[in-house]
Amino acid sequence: MLKDGFGRTIETLRVSITDRCNLKCLYCTINQDTVFLPKHRIMTYEEIMKISRILLDLGLSRIKLTGGEPLIRKDLPKLIEKLASLNEVKDLSLTTNGTMLTSFMAKILKEAGLHRLNISLDSLNPYTYRRITGGKLNDVLRGIDNAIESGFNPVKINTVLLKNINDSEIFDILNFAVEKSLTIRFIEEMPFSKTPYSGVSNDTVFSMLKPYLETDKVVKDDKSPGPAVTFKVKGSNAKIGFISPFSRPFCMKCNRIRLSTDGKILPCIATNKGVDILSMIRNHSPDQIIIDKIKESLMGKKLMHDGFKNPLKMNLLGG
Ligand code: SAM
């Protein structure tokens, strides 16, 4: 088992496989900074496999692919297939904005061995969706249906609420979850970009939704233990989760390590201090030296995030 300096077991690797995205969400770095990495600085699939292999040998067992928008990356199913074939990988998931998740792509991803899909959806109103993301609501709604029809279960939806933009839609989103038997997770906005829009505390969202939730029992997710505190919606198969880095920080239970698009290992979502593993791999450093550097980085993992004083760009780090 891989442990950090505070004895937390690190189980999950989050990989940002591309910094590019077809959307420009108001709360994402891409909205203000669209300078993308030159291609040669982005990890190849072989390099992602090599780094994953090292981390799996150290005891990790869950991998999440994110970005940027992972579906933009050419031949993504090939990477999924390779990762899914590794015995140590107990859980392989992907976070996408869903707008390019055609029925064909959803099926191919499933066949390649992807276990789970998380899809981001911030609004059910086409105008608001366009305002937040620059994209078309119908594209993501179709993507969600395609994911369900291809047999992904559960399909989890990520929603970031912004004051006076989409915070009037909390009950619409609850109804949508019930109608489609989905798990919706409200993620508190983290300050990655200097946006003038402020996020909504999950304490507020929880108090509004409480009457509709079975709050006496937190739903345990053994398949993918993560930071969400999740409740069943009364009388339905839907679930509502709360990911609350500010109102209920979960750093004490953090089980993640991150790999940025340019191959840096970072111990925390709020830091920009990473170890450049990609350069080491390209310079043919011995595995043991790479392992020592990864362990050193983990020893520097703080007990709590620092309030996102100086984070890396969200699209390089992955959400
Ligand atoms: N493009 C994919 C997507 O939209 O799901 C994957 C990358 S995106 C960075 C991953 C997740 O991070 C999304 O659910 C997104 O809503 C969330 N996210 C991005 N910026 C955020 C922020 N500033 N605060 C909270 N969540 C954020």
Side-chain angles (χ1 to χ4, degrees):
M1 274 199 283
L2 188 60
K3 300 250 183 202
D4 71 7
F6 293 96
R8 290 170 291 198
T9 304
I10 306 301
E11 288 179 285
T12 304
L13 171 67
R14 293 205 148 209
V15 191
S16 171
I17 64 168
T18 176
D19 58 339
R20 282 135 170 101
C21 191
N22 59 326
L23 300 183
K24 274 188 168 201
C25 298
L26 285 181
Y27 46 71
C28 182
T29 336
I30 292 183
N31 199 36
Q32 269 126 40
D33 180 356
T34 43
V35 179
F36 296 119
L37 289 173
K39 288 248 163 65
H40 72 271
R41 290 198 49 209
I42 297 176
M43 291 180 291
T44 63
Y45 286 167
E46 286 68 31
E47 288 163 343
I48 293 174
M49 289 304 294
K50 165 94 182 153
I51 299 172
S52 303
R53 182 73 266 166
I54 291 174
L55 287 159
L56 291 166
D57 285 346
L58 284 172
L60 268 75
S61 55
R62 301 173 197 283
I63 299 183
K64 158 141 294 158
L65 303 180
T66 173
E69 173 47 47
L71 290 188
I72 279 190
R73 185 102 187 225
K74 203 168 158 238
D75 292 333
L76 175 65
K78 285 193 183 154
L79 175 66
I80 306 261
E81 206 172 338
K82 283 186 186 155
L83 288 169
S85 72
L86 303 174
N87 283 338
E88 295 88 344
V89 178
K90 276 199 294 192
D91 182 49
L92 179 61
S93 62
L94 175 85
T95 302
T96 170
N97 61 40
T99 56
M100 294 188 290
L101 194 61
T102 59
S103 148
F104 179 71
M105 181 52 93
K107 280 196 194 99
I108 296 272
L109 292 176
K110 184 83 183 146
E111 279 166 21
L114 185 69
H115 299 156
R116 297 186 300 111
L117 263 174
N118 290 3
I119 302 179
S120 305
L121 174 69
D122 295 327
S123 174
L124 291 164
N125 175 312
Y127 300 101
T128 311
Y129 183 80
R130 179 170 281 278
R131 184 174 174 202
I132 296 175
T133 68
K136 287 191 194 142
L137 177 64
N138 271 342
D139 291 344
V140 59
L141 294 181
R142 213 175 296 126
I144 292 170
D145 286 341
N146 291 337
I148 297 169
E149 279 158 25
S150 301
F152 285 103
N153 184 17
V155 173
K156 292 184 185 172
I157 305 294
N158 291 345
T159 302
V160 177
L161 292 173
L162 299 174
K163 272 185 199 151
N164 301 322
I165 297 204
N166 58 347
D167 59 342
S168 59
E169 293 189 53
I170 293 171
F171 293 111
D172 296 340
I173 292 167
L174 172 72
N175 285 334
F176 181 71
V178 170
E179 194 186 300
K180 298 214 177 257
S181 297
L182 292 167
T183 299
I184 308 265
R185 291 110 51 87
F186 290 101
I187 307 178
E188 280 179 345
E189 192 221 1
M190 295 170 271
F192 277 95
S193 59
K194 291 177 186 64
T195 160
Y197 308 102
S198 44
V200 178
S201 164
N202 267 344
D203 280 351
T204 308
V205 187
F206 177 73
S207 58
M208 288 170 75
L209 293 182
K210 198 173 170 200
Y212 306 94
L213 304 178
E214 295 181 3
T215 53
D216 49 332
K217 196 166 153 222
V218 173
V219 179
K220 279 235 168 86
D221 189 347
D222 295 330
K223 268 199 209 158
S224 57
V229 179
T230 305
F231 303 100
K232 255 189 111 238
V233 178
K234 286 177 186 167
S236 101
N237 290 324
K239 295 182 192 110
I240 301 289
F242 299 90
I243 300 180
S244 317
F246 296 103
S247 60
R248 312 273 153 139
F250 42 80
C251 302
M252 319 290 250
K253 290 197 251 166
C254 182
N255 61 359
R256 293 161 182 198
I257 193 168
R258 289 166 188 273
L259 181 58
S260 65
T261 319
D262 55 352
K264 297 195 174 76
I265 284 281
L266 294 109
C268 171
I269 192 171
T271 185
N272 64 4
K273 292 200 174 57
V275 179
D276 188 356
I277 300 293
L278 183 59
S279 294
M280 296 175 80
I281 293 216
R282 289 184 179 176
N283 291 330
H284 307 287
S285 299
D287 281 5
Q288 192 52 52
I289 295 190
I290 298 177
I291 290 169
D292 290 346
K293 284 283 176 196
I294 292 172
K295 288 187 173 165
E296 199 180 302
S297 164
L298 268 182
M299 286 301 140
K301 187 172 166 85
K302 302 258 168 21
L303 194 55
M304 281 284 298
H305 68 71
D306 65 359
F308 296 78
K309 286 195 191 106
N310 204 4
L312 201 69
K313 291 178 183 185
M314 172 51 115
N315 52 319
L316 279 181
L317 187 64

